[in-house]
Amino acid sequence: MDIARQLCDFLSQKGSVVDYAQTGAQALQLVAEQTFDVILLDLTLPDCDGLTLCADIKETCDIQPPVLMLTARDSLDDKLQGFAAGTDDYLTKPFALEEVWMRCLSLSRRAELHHSKVIEIGALSLDVHGHKVTRQGVAINLSATEFTLLKLLADSYPNAVSKRQLTQKLWGEEVPSSDVLRSHIYTLRRAVDKPFDSAMIKTVHGIGFRLEASDDP
C-alpha cells in the first residue's frame, strides 16, 4: 500500500493521470470502462494472482495496454512466467521511482507506435486498416486469420505472445482443433519468412512466439 501511494504521488507529479485498484476485480472493472497507456501490476493481490490478472487483462482488452510488472520475485522462472502471462516489462523490487517513470514512457511510446495505422518492424510493414502486408517492399498475401495472427505478434513486439493468448484472441473458447494454431503459424512462416533471407517469426520455447527484426539485439 505504501509503495502504491508513493508511485501514485510520484507519477502524478510527473503529469500523469493515475488510477488505483487495490484488488484484481477492481482492476478488471477499470480496464473494462476506460483505456490506459500503461498498467503497473503488482503480483501480490488480495483476491487473485497477478499472473492470472495480467493474462485476463490481455485477453479481455480490444486495445491491449502494455503491462509493467512490479514484483519481488526475481528468479528467471518467475520472469518467464510473467512474460508468458503477457507482461511487457518486468521490474523487481526494490526499484527507483524514476526508473518506473522511464519505463512507463518507453512502454507508452511503443504502444502508440503499435496502435498507428501502419506498423513497421524492420523491413516488415502492416497496414492495419487496409489489411496489407509487405516485407522489403514485396507484397505478402495472407488470409484473414493469418493477418490477425501476425498483427497480434506485431502488437506485442518485441515481446513474445503465449500460445494461450493467441488461441484466445483468434478463436475464443471454440478452438477448431488442438493443432490449428501450429498450422497457421506454419503457413504464416511460409509467407512471411520463407521467401526471404532471415526468419522474423521466432519460437520462444516454453512461452509462445515473437517477431524479431534483423537488426534486433
Side-chain angles (χ1 to χ4, degrees):
M1 189 68 176
D2 289 339
I3 294 177
R5 185 178 295 108
Q6 291 175 20
L7 279 170
C8 289
D9 291 344
F10 181 80
L11 295 175
S12 296
Q13 291 171 9
K14 289 291 187 179
S16 299
V17 178
V18 181
D19 272 320
Y20 169 70
Q22 188 172 357
T23 66
Q26 291 173 349
L28 287 175
Q29 183 176 354
L30 283 174
V31 298
E33 295 172 347
Q34 53 193 303
T35 58
F36 293 89
D37 294 322
V38 180
I39 291 178
L40 305 181
L41 177 59
D42 196 309
L43 284 184
T44 305
L45 298 167
D47 62 338
C48 69
D49 182 81
L51 292 174
T52 302
L53 177 59
C54 181
D56 288 342
I57 290 173
K58 292 290 186 174
E59 290 175 1
T60 57
C61 293
D62 292 331
I63 299 178
Q64 295 187 3
V67 174
L68 172 57
M69 197 167 281
L70 307 175
T71 177
R73 307 178 196 175
D74 58 358
S75 71
L76 176 59
D77 184 60
D78 289 326
K79 293 178 181 179
L80 289 175
Q81 289 184 48
F83 286 120
T87 186
D88 297 272
D89 201 357
Y90 201 103
L91 192 57
T92 55
K93 301 173 184 176
F95 47 76
L97 296 177
E98 192 70 31
E99 183 175 3
V100 176
W101 167 242
M102 295 306 297
R103 295 206 186 197
C104 285
L105 287 179
S106 176
L107 287 172
S108 64
R109 287 168 183 162
R110 187 195 307 168
E112 184 178 355
L113 171 65
H114 289 165
H115 296 152
S116 63
K117 180 179 179 181
V118 177
I119 302 174
E120 293 185 350
I121 300 172
L124 184 70
S125 176
L126 286 80
D127 182 339
V128 176
H129 299 301
H131 279 226
K132 297 177 181 179
V133 178
T134 62
R135 181 174 175 183
Q136 297 178 4
V138 179
I140 298 173
N141 295 319
L142 299 177
S143 69
T145 300
E146 290 160 1
F147 182 87
T148 302
L149 177 56
L150 183 60
K151 184 177 181 300
L152 289 171
L153 294 174
D155 284 340
S156 292
Y157 173 82
N159 297 316
V161 189
S162 70
K163 295 177 183 179
R164 174 191 172 192
Q165 287 177 267
L166 292 173
T167 301
Q168 177 69 27
K169 285 292 183 181
L170 287 168
W171 299 287
E173 301 300 326
E174 300 180 1
V175 183
S177 72
S178 59
D179 292 332
V180 67
L181 177 61
R182 183 172 60 181
S183 175
H184 281 292
I185 288 288
Y186 173 78
T187 56
L188 184 62
R189 280 175 162 153
R190 284 179 59 88
V192 173
D193 287 341
K194 189 173 181 179
F196 303 94
D197 293 334
S198 61
M200 293 189 69
I201 302 171
K202 301 290 187 177
T203 299
V204 183
H205 295 290
I207 298 179
F209 305 94
R210 67 183 289 265
L211 285 178
E212 180 179 289
S214 58
D215 57 350
D216 285 343

